[in-house]
Amino acid sequence: MVERILRNMVGKKHEPLTGIDGKVIVVAHDLSPSDILQIDKTTVIGFITEMGGKTSHTSILARALEIPAVVGMERIASVVTENATIIIDGFTGVVILNPDQETFRDYLRRKQHYEYVERELLKLKDLPAVTLDGFAMILKANVEIVEEVPSVRRHGAEGIGLYRTEMLFFNRENLPDEEEQFHAYAEIVREMAPKPVTIRTLDVGGDKVLTDLNLGDEANPALGVRAIRLSLMQPEAFRAQLRAILRASAHGKVRVFFPMISGVDEVRRAKAIVEEVKQELRRAFIPFDEEIEIGIMIEIPSAVIIADLLAREVDFFSVGTNDLIQYSLAIDRTNEHLSALYEPLHPAVLRSLKMVVEAAHGAGIAACICGEMAGEPEYLPILLGLGFDELSMNAVSIPRVKKILRRCTKKEAEAVAARAMTYATAQEAESYLRSVIAARFSDSFD
Ligand code: PEP
Ligand code: MG
């Protein structure tokens, strides 16, 4: 990403990212997920923030909307000047201010190479996601807004594995009512049909602040009234969302799941409300899928430890590695000072993933992952080897992950996962994985 015009928001009050003239790269102390949703990609062609981590929702949205971004670049705002020339490399997190001509040309070449690789990868779109020894892994996409659906299709997703409905609730005066939610969900469901859409109930709180519903300031928002807890405390809003989701299930294949489940009681309470809502719809002769599958996110360590108990209650598990890593390692996913400690291959994380798969399969239900880890091609051998059935990721990553998948056998992936689990530190597991990638797949990582 190379651009000459820069808008420096330092020292200015919170400004909307709308009504900007010309093409700009925004440099800001912080941007929220709702700021990102307002970005007009024809003017804002990239951004840099001082705050944030790779799995913060701001980063996730930037990837989903294909906006080049570097987050967590401390003090950047005080060193850039307006109208500087700036290069941002969203892959490596490198930012270059006022590059010399040679660097400028080098990055232009890299950009062209990236576009070429992307075009080549899209040729994998219609090839099956199967290993060399015939294991079919289901690869789906995560989406936030309906506008992403064309990209989901273009990248060959087999459905939507995570629809983050909360984005519908941002940047507005009033909360969306049942009718509005129904139209939004049904649109995505119809556009994806007959492929399934997995709709997550509202997951606000933490770094996704929604002042209308949240219960005011909290000392520890990441541990606060969020996600399913909030839904269970605000049953009217929860019922409206469930009615909308169930009604949308008459328009294609829908699965529903609950975020931030910490125990069986929450699952039972949420399911009881689903049952009540179904009963209301039946009485009113409003169609919905009677067989709709209900799942939960596994993203709190307590849910991992009791995964066997939870597996009896639901139809599928989807592991939210972004939060599971955050809560297991006590690493704030949005804190730029801790990004080096955010370790997907920490033995505690790998053991957790294994426990989740074993519990799911023990109960005969599917084990999926929808955290960012699922979209990192280098982790594919481990996730495949651990036994996951389904991975859901940002659409752009699907062909990259599929390319590796099609070049592995499940058997060798099992051996890689088993070996990775023997290491005492994430660094050791990472360096082992790097050696596997270099020996087996280096030409697949352009
Ligand atoms: C996760 O926590 O991994 C996840 C997929 O949910 P979110 O990123 O929306 O918290
Ligand atoms: Mg989460």
Side-chain angles (χ1 to χ4, degrees):
M1 171 61 43
V2 184
E3 191 48 53
R4 290 179 173 283
I5 311 158
L6 164 78
R7 177 168 167 107
N8 186 342
M9 296 173 75
V10 194
K12 296 188 179 151
K13 285 212 296 287
H14 193 104
E15 293 188 41
L17 293 174
T18 48
I20 295 171
D21 290 330
K23 289 195 187 301
V24 301
I25 289 176
V26 172
V27 179
H29 179 60
D30 196 12
L31 293 173
S32 66
S34 55
D35 290 328
I36 306 303
L37 288 175
Q38 289 183 344
I39 284 180
D40 171 359
K41 278 171 64 179
T42 56
T43 53
V44 177
I45 56 160
F47 68 84
I48 311 170
T49 60
E50 297 185 330
M51 304 273 288
K54 217 168 136 185
T55 63
S56 68
H57 288 95
T58 298
S59 305
I60 289 173
L61 267 175
R63 269 194 292 281
L65 304 177
E66 297 182 61
I67 303 170
V70 174
V71 301
M73 178 129 299
E74 288 181 74
R75 291 189 292 281
I76 181 75
S78 54
V79 294
V80 286
T81 52
E82 236 162 282
N83 297 320
T85 302
I86 190 162
I87 295 175
I88 63 179
D89 181 341
F91 289 104
T92 55
V94 167
V95 171
I96 303 173
L97 292 179
N98 298 318
D100 58 28
Q101 277 221 337
E102 203 180 316
T103 313
F104 193 92
R105 272 201 294 270
D106 175 37
Y107 271 87
L108 269 184
R109 271 195 298 272
R110 289 189 200 204
K111 185 168 181 264
Q112 283 158 357
H113 179 67
Y114 168 74
E115 285 159 0
Y116 164 76
V117 170
E118 185 66 16
R119 277 195 304 276
E120 287 298 301
L121 281 167
L122 287 181
K123 295 183 183 158
L124 295 176
K125 172 180 172 290
D126 296 319
L127 295 178
V130 279
T131 59
L132 292 171
D133 50 355
F135 175 78
M137 173 80 110
I138 300 170
L139 302 183
K140 292 185 180 165
N142 294 351
V143 299
E144 287 68 30
I145 49 177
V146 67
E147 285 77 7
E148 290 177 67
V149 171
S151 163
V152 168
R153 286 219 209 85
R154 203 169 57 248
H155 289 91
E158 292 169 65
I160 289 175
L162 165 61
Y163 172 17
R164 290 184 165 96
T165 56
E166 49 278 4
M167 302 303 163
L168 194 66
F169 289 65
F170 290 132
N171 294 327
R172 48 185 302 149
E173 301 271 300
N174 304 310
L175 298 176
D177 61 11
E178 173 189 328
E179 212 49 34
E180 187 184 339
Q181 291 186 61
F182 163 65
H183 286 293
Y185 306 155
E187 188 182 351
I188 292 202
V189 170
R190 273 195 295 263
E191 294 219 3
M192 288 302 297
K195 296 184 170 137
V197 177
T198 316
I199 305 181
R200 182 173 73 183
T201 61
L202 198 60
D203 184 12
V204 289
D207 63 332
K208 289 179 287 194
V209 184
L210 192 66
T211 35
D212 277 6
L213 266 181
N214 289 355
L215 302 183
D217 280 348
E218 297 180 298
N220 289 305
L223 306 180
V225 180
R226 53 177 306 189
I228 192 67
R229 301 169 188 174
L230 182 66
S231 292
L232 292 172
M233 279 186 198
Q234 307 260 357
E236 280 322 302
F238 190 39
R239 296 174 87 90
Q241 182 169 41
L242 290 172
R243 279 180 66 99
I245 294 171
L246 283 165
R247 287 171 58 195
S249 74
H251 295 260
K253 175 87 183 124
V254 173
R255 307 194 299 175
V256 61
F257 67 144
F258 308 121
M260 304 284 292
I261 290 292
S262 63
V264 170
D265 182 52
E266 279 163 343
V267 182
R268 290 187 180 156
R269 286 169 61 203
K271 280 176 62 183
I273 298 177
V274 173
E275 268 319 307
E276 285 167 23
V277 170
K278 279 184 166 180
Q279 195 50 30
E280 277 167 27
L281 294 174
R282 277 184 208 114
R283 272 199 221 107
F285 300 103
I286 297 174
F288 65 93
D289 176 7
E290 286 279 357
E291 306 300 316
I292 190 168
E293 286 183 22
I294 299 181
I296 54 172
M297 294 215 43
I298 303 286
E299 48 187 350
I300 297 182
S302 61
V304 173
I305 296 165
I306 60 159
D308 57 329
L309 304 178
L310 290 165
R312 297 179 198 153
E313 309 281 329
V314 292
D315 300 310
F316 64 96
F317 280 166
S318 193
V319 184
T321 48
N322 307 333
D323 277 314
L324 183 60
I325 296 169
Q326 153 162 280
Y327 293 118
S328 300
L329 307 184
I331 298 294
D332 176 352
R333 63 195 265 194
T334 69
N335 187 330
E336 64 282 5
H337 301 290
L338 299 174
S339 46
L341 295 177
Y342 194 90
E343 297 176 324
L345 298 190
H346 190 292
V349 176
L350 294 180
R351 288 183 192 191
S352 298
L353 294 176
K354 191 168 177 345
M355 280 173 73
V356 173
V357 176
E358 283 173 357
H361 290 173
I365 65 168
C368 321
I369 299 195
C370 63
E372 292 301 286
M373 194 176 175
E376 304 266 0
E378 57 272 36
Y379 295 141
L380 184 271
I382 291 188
L383 302 181
L384 171 69
L386 285 172
F388 282 95
D389 306 290
E390 181 177 317
L391 303 179
S392 190
M393 64 202 78
N394 65 78
V396 177
S397 295
I398 292 175
R400 290 179 164 76
V401 169
K402 193 194 275 186
K403 190 170 175 187
I404 306 294
L405 179 78
R406 289 175 54 83
R407 298 193 47 193
C408 303
T409 61
K410 180 136 198 283
K411 200 155 176 273
E412 76 171 318
E414 281 165 0
V416 171
R419 170 99 182 254
M421 295 209 47
T422 62
Y423 295 103
T425 70
Q427 288 80 356
E428 287 163 347
E430 283 283 352
S431 100
Y432 162 64
L433 188 59
R434 268 199 305 275
S435 71
V436 172
I437 299 287
R440 284 280 287 109
F441 311 105
S442 61
D443 54 337
S444 298
F445 283 84
D446 296 295

